[in-house]
Amino acid sequence: MIFTAEQQKIFEEIKRLKKAKNAVILVHNYQKPEIYEVADFIGDSLKLCMEAKNTKADIIVFCGVNFMAESAYILNPGKKVIIPFYDAGCAMADMLKPEDLIALKKKHPKAKVVTYINSSAEIKALSDAVCTSSSAVDIVRGLDGNEIIFVPDKNLAKYVEKQVPEKKIIAFDGYCPIHDFLTKELLYEAKKEYGNAKIIAHPESRNEILESADHVASTSEMINCAKKDPAKDFIVLTECGMVERLKKEVPDKNFHGVCNFCFDMKKNTIESVLKCLKEEKFVITVPKDVTEKALKAFDKMFELTKNGQTND
Ligand code: 13P
Ligand code: SF4
């Protein structure tokens, strides 16, 4: 990727400010390539959580969407967490309200609640364990209890149910519109064009996609799958930014996206990252009582994944 002289100047200024303020920049895989250039760490939700939890920096600049920055605050409440764009939300997280979860818990009083990280802090505070796309199977398998309320993603819930058939999964009807848009018809068209390619899909995709996939993987796991699999060509079903990330990380292979754009993930720009670091805003906080309860649900995830170790 070639950057303009103006962008190069911004990269330098961000790096200078980062050092002067003892700040760390955490970047989700779906962000724009120019933001990768100033990242201290690029990863999926689980790996970003681990970085947020363990950082010694005074300021965390979070380039992703709001639930990720909220999670960083919960995991390290003493730190200043700032985001470049004030309302980068997540359509799936917005689908589930605390009253929906309270009603589900009332209906299934014996069930444990596993909440996908793509949810609000209030929802996490009502849960027994948080999970991410890379840890969901381990968490549901490892949590005691045979009945699991899994929220908010019905597609991830279905995937987990297939991997852990011994447990009863009670799913909420939420979904990611970006992934749920990807249908078997779109995949069929791509397969006609790239017949021998292996298929990598994110577990937020529909069951009809996951059934055909060679690899079901979180965004960071996708990179490892592509490196380890001897195939040269891959059809990638997820958010389109990931296709660019794969091309950068695994330059000797070919990636063909059957993908869609998450506009919230694309709200941050390199200019807004600079402004954010300069002005130290927008600041993310979570009320103390919510933080304490949500932290317990995160701790359960760390316990069941041996501190964020997954099989990727
Ligand atoms: P990952 O944890 O796999 O990066 O997924 C986050 C996300 O929002 C996918 O849409
Ligand atoms: Fe949320 Fe979907 Fe965007 Fe991920 S891709 S942040 S799940 S709307």
Side-chain angles (χ1 to χ4, degrees):
M1 170 111 354
I2 297 168
F3 298 105
T4 64
E6 189 53 39
Q7 283 175 317
Q8 301 280 6
K9 255 172 65 187
I10 298 177
F11 298 159
E12 289 316 308
E13 181 59 1
I14 290 175
K15 285 176 191 165
R16 189 190 67 75
L17 280 170
K18 217 167 48 166
K19 217 171 164 188
K21 295 186 180 221
N22 190 27
V24 67
I25 303 187
L26 304 184
V27 176
H28 187 264
N29 285 313
Y30 291 163
Q31 294 286 291
K32 294 174 178 158
E34 56 269 32
I35 298 180
Y36 300 159
E37 295 300 306
V38 295
D40 292 286
F41 187 81
I42 312 172
D44 65 4
S45 305
L46 182 62
K47 295 196 186 312
L48 290 168
C49 279
M50 297 310 298
E51 290 296 316
K53 188 172 179 254
N54 298 327
T55 186
K56 301 262 182 296
D58 295 316
I59 298 177
I60 299 172
V61 180
F62 211 111
C63 300
V65 288
N66 286 4
F67 75 78
M68 294 178 172
E70 265 187 2
S71 299
Y73 179 87
I74 292 164
L75 289 167
N76 215 329
K79 303 282 173 200
K80 187 169 199 177
V81 179
I82 51 177
I83 52 171
F85 196 93
Y86 69 99
D87 77 339
C90 165
M92 169 157 55
D94 291 346
M95 287 178 190
L96 179 65
K97 303 280 174 261
E99 51 272 29
D100 301 323
L101 182 52
I102 291 167
L104 266 177
K105 284 172 67 153
K106 259 199 186 135
K107 203 168 162 198
H108 304 279
K110 288 201 184 112
K112 292 278 168 70
V113 179
V114 176
T115 290
Y116 188 31
I117 191 167
N118 297 42
S119 56
S120 68
E122 288 76 14
I123 296 288
K124 291 181 179 92
L126 290 165
S127 309
D128 294 294
V130 169
C131 74
T132 65
S133 59
S134 56
S135 64
V137 170
D138 289 344
I139 305 300
V140 170
R141 193 174 279 140
L143 200 64
D144 53 1
N146 291 326
E147 243 183 280
I148 307 285
I149 297 172
F150 191 98
V151 294
D153 188 1
K154 64 176 178 185
N155 290 331
L156 182 59
K158 183 92 207 149
Y159 174 67
V160 169
E161 188 178 55
K162 289 192 142 189
Q163 309 302 309
V164 194
E166 65 276 20
K167 300 219 176 180
K168 181 179 175 200
I169 307 291
I170 301 148
F172 181 71
D173 197 29
Y175 58 92
C176 163
I178 313 314
H179 286 83
D180 199 62
F181 170 85
L182 308 172
T183 58
K184 61 176 190 298
E185 287 75 23
L186 290 172
L187 177 57
Y188 178 71
E189 289 305 311
K191 274 163 88 175
K192 274 203 292 196
E193 204 168 335
Y194 312 108
N196 295 325
K198 289 276 183 77
I199 299 167
I200 308 181
H202 194 277
E204 287 173 17
S205 309
R206 294 178 185 199
N207 183 45
E208 66 192 45
I209 298 292
L210 301 183
E211 275 181 339
S212 312
D214 296 288
H215 303 283
V216 176
S218 79
T219 57
S220 287
E221 288 169 341
M222 285 182 178
I223 299 171
N224 295 329
C225 289
K227 282 182 180 165
K228 282 186 198 156
D229 191 315
K232 261 290 205 212
D233 282 82
F234 296 88
I235 297 172
V236 182
L237 294 109
T238 187
E239 205 274 342
C240 296
M242 195 61 215
V243 182
E244 297 315 306
R245 176 110 173 94
L246 282 160
K247 285 179 183 166
K248 185 172 157 54
E249 289 300 312
V250 197
D252 55 326
K253 299 198 177 181
N254 307 313
F255 299 96
H256 315 286
V258 176
C259 63
N260 197 5
F261 281 98
C262 174
F263 290 100
D264 280 295
M265 276 286 184
K266 303 297 189 238
K267 283 177 174 168
N268 295 327
T269 61
I270 196 69
E271 290 80 8
S272 67
V273 175
L274 175 58
K275 195 163 185 279
C276 169
L277 200 46
K278 248 190 203 162
E279 298 177 5
E280 295 187 22
K281 65 179 192 191
F282 303 92
V283 178
I284 287 282
T285 56
V286 177
K288 195 166 178 280
D289 57 328
V290 176
T291 297
E292 283 169 6
K293 287 181 191 151
L295 190 54
K296 282 194 184 142
F298 269 110
D299 283 342
K300 198 69 190 169
M301 172 172 83
F302 295 128
E303 181 195 317
L304 293 173
T305 57
K306 297 186 191 69
N307 255 340
Q309 302 304 308
T310 52
N311 298 326
D312 60 325

